[in-house]
Each structure stands twice: as C-alpha cells, then as structure tokens.
C-alpha cells in the first residue's frame, strides 16, 4: 500500500500547486483521502515519526532566520495578545448560540468548556503559515517577521496553557536550559570547524534533534520548542543561512508525511 500512499500524495500536491496553493495543503488533503480508505497514522508509525521530524526541522529552520528581538516588539506582543483575547470573546457567544440552535456537539457546554474550545480556536497553524511565507520568499520582509513572531507567541501561549492544564510540571532540570545562551561561544566554535560539506548537515541534525528536541523533551518541555530555540541561538552565526539552505531538502521531504 506504500506506493499508493506516495502516488496519492504526489497527485494531491500537484493538484493544489496548479491553483497556486502551497503543496503542503495538498499533502494534508492526501491525508484526508487516505483516511477515507482506512489508512491511519497508527497503522503506519514510521509516517508519524517522519511528520514529527519534518515539523521539528521546520521550526529549527525558522529559528535560524529569526531575530529574537522581533518577538518583543510592540506590534508582535500587542497583536498576539489582542488576537487571543478577541478570538475568545468572539467564539464563546458563537459556540453558545450554536449549542442553543441545536448543534448536538455543543449542547449543555459550560462556560469553562466553551472558554477552552474558544482558546483552541484562537491559534493558527504555524507550519502552514510559515510554509506560505517561506515559499513566497518573504521570510525577511517586515510582514513576514511580524507574522512569524505572532505565530511563535501563540505557540508559547499554548505551551504555558498545556503545562498548566495537564499538570505536568517540567523537571527542575529545565531551569538549566537558561544557561544555553552562555554556551553560544562553544557552539559557534564547533560550528566553525564543521566546514561546508556534509558535516554541516550532520551538525544541523544534531543541534535540532539532540541538543534541541531531545534535550527539551527530557526535561518535560516541547521538543519542537527546543529545536526553535536552538535555531535562534545559531541565527547570529555567519553560516546560519548556509545551514538553513543545507537543511532545506531534509525539511521538505519529511513535511510530506505531515
């Protein structure tokens, strides 16, 4: 069945590309098509692993191109906060009215339950939005930097909420991650020594998947967030753009599984 999966994914990607949409949307559509045929990620565990890997490398690539100061600009903090509060205030009455109108799934929901659903609906898809910005070549434009900053702030809000709601407090060792910025000179020295060959790709994989994802997951934090932060730490290096280009095809390949 694996050949059919690849063929359907390719056809869906080509179809949406013809109408000017990112291929990633076609890959998502392929997932819906495959699901109707009874093919789920639980039956293909490797597919889920590849998808998670693609998202992790995508966020690592974002970090390599991101200026940390842009996250603390007024337009980013204000827009992300206003959007969050405004979305919640908008969706709560809408969901309540839908429940009163007879929508079975929303009948009898309490205010706290509606608040939770509204909070979830306030988030955007970082993966899709970043892919559109990246494919259009607008990563360094003003609107691109602001949009990515807002998306990352939304992810931070989500991490804080999930940590509180699940009651899974990160390990005390997570405080040690605050020392990561002080390791930048050492990381840069290693970066300088890897050269411009396949060692550069291997260095990127180690930084994204080991120092970033694995280390953060080991102390109870989101692995994707770790890859993003490590990418930001490397962003100031002269070869960060070269590393981002080297990781491009790995990221694109694994995002197909997303």
């Amino acid at each position: 069945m694996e050949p059919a999966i690849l063929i359907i994914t390719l056809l869906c990607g080509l179809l949406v590309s013809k109408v000017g949409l990112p291929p990633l949307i076609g890959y998502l559509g392929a997932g819906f098509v495959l699901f109707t045929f009874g093919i789920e990620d639980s039956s293909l565990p490797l597919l889920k692993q590849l998808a998670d890997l693609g998202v992790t490398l995508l966020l690592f690539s974002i970090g390599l191109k991101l200026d940390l100061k842009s996250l603390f600009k007024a337009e980013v903090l204000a827009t992300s906060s206003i959007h969050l509060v405004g979305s919640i205030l908008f969706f709560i009455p809408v969901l309540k009215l839908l429940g009163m109108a007879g929508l079975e799934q929303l009948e009898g929901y309490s205010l706290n339950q509606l608040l939770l659903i509204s909070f979830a609906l306030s988030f955007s898809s970082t993966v899709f939005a970043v892919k559109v910005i990246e494919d259009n070549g607008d990563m360094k434009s003003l609107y691109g930097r602001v949009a990515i900053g807002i998306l990352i702030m939304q992810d931070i809000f989500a991490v804080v909420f999930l940590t509180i709601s699940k009651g899974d407090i990160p390990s005390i060792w997570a405080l040690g991650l605050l020392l990561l910025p002080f390791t930048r000179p050492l990381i840069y020295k290693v970066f300088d020594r890897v050269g411009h060959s396949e060692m550069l790709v291997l260095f990127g994989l180690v930084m994204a998947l080991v120092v970033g994802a694995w280390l953060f997951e080991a102390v109870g934090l989101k692995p994707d967030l770790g890859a993003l932060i490590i990418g930001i730490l490397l962003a100031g290096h002269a070869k960060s753009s070269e590393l981002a280009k080297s990781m491009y095809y790995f990221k694109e390949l694994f995002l197909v599984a997303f």
Side-chain angles (χ1 to χ4, degrees):
M1 197 62 181
E2 287 78 4
I5 293 175
L6 292 175
I7 292 172
I8 291 174
T9 304
L10 176 62
L11 292 176
C12 289
L14 289 173
L15 182 63
V16 300
S17 297
K18 290 294 184 181
V19 296
L21 295 175
L24 195 60
I25 296 179
Y27 304 154
L28 180 64
F32 287 115
V33 173
L34 293 170
F35 181 77
T36 61
F37 288 106
I39 301 175
E40 304 180 35
D41 60 356
S42 58
S43 61
L44 295 168
L46 178 61
L47 197 64
K48 185 179 186 305
Q49 293 174 7
L50 292 176
D52 292 340
L53 185 58
V55 173
T56 299
L57 293 179
L58 174 65
L59 292 177
F60 177 67
S61 298
I62 294 171
L64 290 172
K65 304 172 185 177
L66 184 66
D67 180 7
L68 187 59
K69 295 179 181 178
S70 64
L71 295 180
F72 301 100
K73 290 183 176 180
E75 58 265 30
V76 173
L77 292 174
T79 304
S80 55
S81 301
I82 293 173
H83 177 268
L84 176 65
V85 175
S87 296
I88 292 175
L89 294 177
F90 171 78
F91 281 116
I92 286 179
V94 170
L95 295 173
K96 188 65 176 179
L97 289 173
L98 290 175
M100 294 173 62
L103 187 61
E104 184 179 349
Q105 290 84 351
L106 295 174
E107 286 183 355
Y109 273 30
S110 66
L111 179 60
N112 287 338
Q113 291 171 319
L114 293 175
L115 179 62
L116 177 60
I117 297 173
S118 300
F119 180 76
L121 291 173
S122 70
F123 294 108
S124 309
S125 172
T126 302
V127 175
F128 282 107
V130 169
K131 275 297 296 175
V132 172
I133 295 173
E134 187 178 50
D135 290 343
N136 290 337
D138 293 329
M139 291 290 290
K140 294 184 178 181
S141 66
L142 176 60
Y143 97 88
R145 294 196 303 269
V146 172
I148 291 173
I150 293 171
L151 291 167
I152 292 174
M153 290 304 301
Q154 288 183 349
D155 288 342
I156 292 174
F157 292 153
V159 169
V160 173
F161 172 77
L162 289 173
T163 300
I164 296 173
S165 63
K166 291 171 63 178
D168 295 336
I169 301 176
S171 167
I172 188 65
W173 294 104
L175 295 175
L177 297 176
L178 297 175
L179 299 176
L180 278 176
F182 299 101
T183 66
R184 182 180 289 182
L186 176 61
I187 294 175
Y188 277 18
K189 284 184 178 180
V190 178
F191 203 169
D192 290 330
R193 290 180 176 272
V194 296
H196 303 270
S197 61
E198 67 277 1
M199 288 292 293
L200 185 63
V201 176
L202 182 58
F203 172 78
L205 291 174
V206 169
M207 296 304 299
L209 304 180
V210 179
V211 182
W214 179 83
L215 183 61
F216 272 63
E217 189 173 27
V219 296
L221 296 173
K222 286 186 64 177
D224 297 342
L225 180 63
L228 175 67
I229 290 177
I230 294 301
I232 292 174
L233 286 178
L234 295 174
H237 195 276
K239 293 197 299 185
S240 60
S241 59
E242 183 181 350
L243 177 59
K245 292 178 182 178
S246 300
M247 302 296 296
Y248 178 82
Y249 291 106
F250 278 92
K251 175 193 63 176
E252 293 293 307
L253 176 62
F254 294 130
L255 278 176
V256 173
F258 176 77

